[in-house]
Amino acid sequence: MDYNTEAINLMAQQLAEMFKSAVMSQQESAVGNPTIAQIEADMREALRQIGNQALGLFLSSMQTTPEKEIACSCGGTLHYQRMRTARVISVFGRTRYVRAYYAGCDCKEGKAPIDEQFGLEPGAVTAGLATLLALAGIEFSYDKSPKWLQTYLLFDISENTVRSETEQMGLLQEKREESLIQQSQDEQYLQERQRNPGGIAPRLYGSIDAAKVRIEPRSKKGEEKEAHEDWRDMKMLCWFETETVPPSQRTKRQQKKVIREQPALRAKNMQYFCDITKAETFGKLLWATGCTVNADLCSDLVFLGDGAVWIWNLVTQYYPNAKQIIDWYHAEEHLEIVATAAFPDLIQRTTWLEEATQTLWDGQVEDVIAVCQALALTCVQASQAVIYFTNNMERMRYNRFRAAGYMIGSGTIESGCKQVVSQRLKLPGAQWLVSGAVHTAKARAVWLSEQWHVLCAQRSALPLVT
Ligand SMILES: [Zn+2]
């Protein structure tokens, strides 16, 4: 849309004049000089009111002379009734406009063509405001959002409105995922993709993890509210690529890593997905989203995760050729647990741990198993570690992984879990039913994946709710 700069200049001059005379009369009445903060606050409020009126006038002006009759979506005929006032909640507040209203069809439906043209639903939030409310909703708990929004928007929005607009964005993402899943099970699509795959990353990573979310006990009508709360796994998936961190940008931790012969890598192009669902269903999401990044066609696909069996089962099922790497820090932690349990003496403990860690770092998993085995008779943690290292032996050849330049830490997915679950779903004041938790998390995952604009476009294209 092009604006007329001259017209804007003229309006700005008028506003400036208005403020100047207000300040002058304030000075004359000896109230004193307003601060710049006061001027800014007043000018924002004036601009909001101007915007609100302008939007209403604009919408009303788009109404041409009403036709006597128009077609109804049922195939019947609607008759012009009268000009009718409607209100929507826009980025400027409660905006009022007037448009022609039609009714009188046999199907009993009525409609206003202007509402349809602009995707407006009387009484509801406009698409422009909806995406701002949802942005607050993925960042703050719903009970805190209204206060924060009031400061920015200069008008009141209810907690429920923020909640429903945020969940609406998550619902849109859920629909996107459902259609990806459907597409990824279509033979024709898969064949076409193989002929014409588009970009394939030279090396692609997938990482899967889960974090606990507390779900409020749902009380059905007539039933006693169950006293116990319910913890559910929010499963999370991230696709990403890596790049080498330039020496000047390396953190202390990364500098240390380089000294330990590990390349300083960082994740880029992260795409996060999440759901509270069975592993089997999550597998479909893994496959469907993998298709969008050509994971199955990538010749160097790497999966990073902790030792959870369901994760490696899914990876093996959908990407049998992918390299599987156990997150280094999880593996190392198992040695720490053994050391703490087996050696009360600090020097013995430190010596054992340093040697075992170095052996693991060198990928000599058989030797790690042997030193744990030696402690297994008297230490239950050591015999558990034997099982863990034996089951994951080939996923811990850290010498080879390092030589090939692979990332060996699953920090990318853990950061995703933290940002979605700890930093939003676990905020004080947050209470969840499964659907609310899932939709809020999905919306937040889209924001973290820098795909928010895609949802915004879909939100503004939403058909009217009738
Ligand atoms: Zn009709």
Side-chain angles (χ1 to χ4, degrees), residues 71-78 104-110:
C72 179
S73 52
C74 77
T77 305
L78 285 161
C105 180
D106 293 338
C107 74
K108 305 275 184 234
E109 290 294 327

mmCIF file of all heavy atoms in Angstrom, residues 71-78 104-110, ligand 1:
data_model
loop_
_atom_site.group_PDB
_atom_site.id
_atom_site.type_symbol
_atom_site.label_atom_id
_atom_site.label_comp_id
_atom_site.label_asym_id
_atom_site.label_seq_id
_atom_site.Cartn_x
_atom_site.Cartn_y
_atom_site.Cartn_z
ATOM 1 N N ALA A 71 -26.800 -12.737 -3.631
ATOM 2 C CA ALA A 71 -26.884 -14.199 -3.546
ATOM 3 C C ALA A 71 -26.487 -14.663 -2.147
ATOM 4 O O ALA A 71 -25.571 -14.123 -1.540
ATOM 5 C CB ALA A 71 -25.972 -14.831 -4.581
ATOM 6 N N CYS A 72 -27.164 -15.644 -1.655
ATOM 7 C CA CYS A 72 -26.799 -16.258 -0.373
ATOM 8 C C CYS A 72 -25.921 -17.481 -0.656
ATOM 9 O O CYS A 72 -26.024 -18.092 -1.725
ATOM 10 C CB CYS A 72 -28.056 -16.677 0.388
ATOM 11 S SG CYS A 72 -27.691 -17.469 1.978
ATOM 12 N N SER A 73 -25.057 -17.827 0.305
ATOM 13 C CA SER A 73 -24.147 -18.956 0.067
ATOM 14 C C SER A 73 -24.910 -20.280 -0.074
ATOM 15 O O SER A 73 -24.400 -21.256 -0.613
ATOM 16 C CB SER A 73 -23.121 -19.051 1.194
ATOM 17 O OG SER A 73 -23.786 -19.049 2.434
ATOM 18 N N CYS A 74 -26.180 -20.295 0.402
ATOM 19 C CA CYS A 74 -26.978 -21.521 0.295
ATOM 20 C C CYS A 74 -27.570 -21.678 -1.103
ATOM 21 O O CYS A 74 -28.146 -22.712 -1.432
ATOM 22 C CB CYS A 74 -28.097 -21.520 1.334
ATOM 23 S SG CYS A 74 -29.481 -20.451 0.897
ATOM 24 N N GLY A 75 -27.401 -20.613 -1.935
ATOM 25 C CA GLY A 75 -28.002 -20.661 -3.264
ATOM 26 C C GLY A 75 -29.268 -19.821 -3.350
ATOM 27 O O GLY A 75 -29.752 -19.519 -4.441
ATOM 28 N N GLY A 76 -29.808 -19.425 -2.199
ATOM 29 C CA GLY A 76 -31.019 -18.599 -2.162
ATOM 30 C C GLY A 76 -30.704 -17.118 -2.340
ATOM 31 O O GLY A 76 -29.628 -16.749 -2.800
ATOM 32 N N THR A 77 -31.623 -16.273 -1.921
ATOM 33 C CA THR A 77 -31.453 -14.834 -2.106
ATOM 34 C C THR A 77 -31.548 -14.103 -0.769
ATOM 35 O O THR A 77 -32.422 -14.387 0.049
ATOM 36 C CB THR A 77 -32.545 -14.284 -3.056
ATOM 37 O OG1 THR A 77 -32.492 -15.047 -4.263
ATOM 38 C CG2 THR A 77 -32.318 -12.818 -3.374
ATOM 39 N N LEU A 78 -30.631 -13.160 -0.554
ATOM 40 C CA LEU A 78 -30.656 -12.315 0.638
ATOM 41 C C LEU A 78 -31.165 -10.942 0.240
ATOM 42 O O LEU A 78 -30.834 -10.426 -0.826
ATOM 43 C CB LEU A 78 -29.238 -12.191 1.221
ATOM 44 C CG LEU A 78 -28.695 -13.403 1.973
ATOM 45 C CD1 LEU A 78 -27.187 -13.315 2.067
ATOM 46 C CD2 LEU A 78 -29.314 -13.509 3.360
ATOM 47 N N GLY A 104 -33.172 -12.454 5.332
ATOM 48 C CA GLY A 104 -34.445 -12.781 4.692
ATOM 49 C C GLY A 104 -34.386 -13.961 3.739
ATOM 50 O O GLY A 104 -35.311 -14.220 2.997
ATOM 51 N N CYS A 105 -33.273 -14.695 3.766
ATOM 52 C CA CYS A 105 -33.196 -15.914 2.957
ATOM 53 C C CYS A 105 -33.937 -17.030 3.708
ATOM 54 O O CYS A 105 -34.078 -16.974 4.928
ATOM 55 C CB CYS A 105 -31.744 -16.296 2.731
ATOM 56 S SG CYS A 105 -31.550 -17.799 1.750
ATOM 57 N N ASP A 106 -34.387 -18.028 2.980
ATOM 58 C CA ASP A 106 -35.098 -19.141 3.623
ATOM 59 C C ASP A 106 -34.211 -19.869 4.632
ATOM 60 O O ASP A 106 -34.707 -20.493 5.571
ATOM 61 C CB ASP A 106 -35.588 -20.136 2.560
ATOM 62 C CG ASP A 106 -36.662 -19.500 1.690
ATOM 63 O OD1 ASP A 106 -37.290 -18.514 2.173
ATOM 64 O OD2 ASP A 106 -36.856 -19.963 0.550
ATOM 65 N N CYS A 107 -32.897 -19.800 4.412
ATOM 66 C CA CYS A 107 -31.985 -20.529 5.314
ATOM 67 C C CYS A 107 -31.777 -19.795 6.636
ATOM 68 O O CYS A 107 -31.084 -20.285 7.516
ATOM 69 C CB CYS A 107 -30.639 -20.777 4.640
ATOM 70 S SG CYS A 107 -29.606 -19.303 4.523
ATOM 71 N N LYS A 108 -32.372 -18.600 6.757
ATOM 72 C CA LYS A 108 -32.317 -17.808 7.996
ATOM 73 C C LYS A 108 -30.944 -17.179 8.270
ATOM 74 O O LYS A 108 -30.731 -16.592 9.316
ATOM 75 C CB LYS A 108 -32.728 -18.638 9.236
ATOM 76 C CG LYS A 108 -34.084 -19.302 9.144
ATOM 77 C CD LYS A 108 -35.176 -18.327 9.562
ATOM 78 C CE LYS A 108 -36.539 -19.026 9.567
ATOM 79 N NZ LYS A 108 -37.520 -18.308 8.750
ATOM 80 N N GLU A 109 -29.994 -17.355 7.344
ATOM 81 C CA GLU A 109 -28.688 -16.723 7.545
ATOM 82 C C GLU A 109 -28.765 -15.250 7.156
ATOM 83 O O GLU A 109 -29.604 -14.859 6.335
ATOM 84 C CB GLU A 109 -27.620 -17.404 6.673
ATOM 85 C CG GLU A 109 -27.252 -18.824 7.094
ATOM 86 C CD GLU A 109 -26.554 -18.888 8.440
ATOM 87 O OE1 GLU A 109 -25.809 -17.934 8.757
ATOM 88 O OE2 GLU A 109 -26.766 -19.868 9.173
ATOM 89 N N GLY A 110 -27.895 -14.444 7.772
ATOM 90 C CA GLY A 110 -27.769 -13.068 7.350
ATOM 91 C C GLY A 110 -26.309 -12.774 7.076
ATOM 92 O O GLY A 110 -25.448 -13.529 7.519
HETATM 93 ZN ZN ZN B 1 -29.498 -18.732 2.384
#
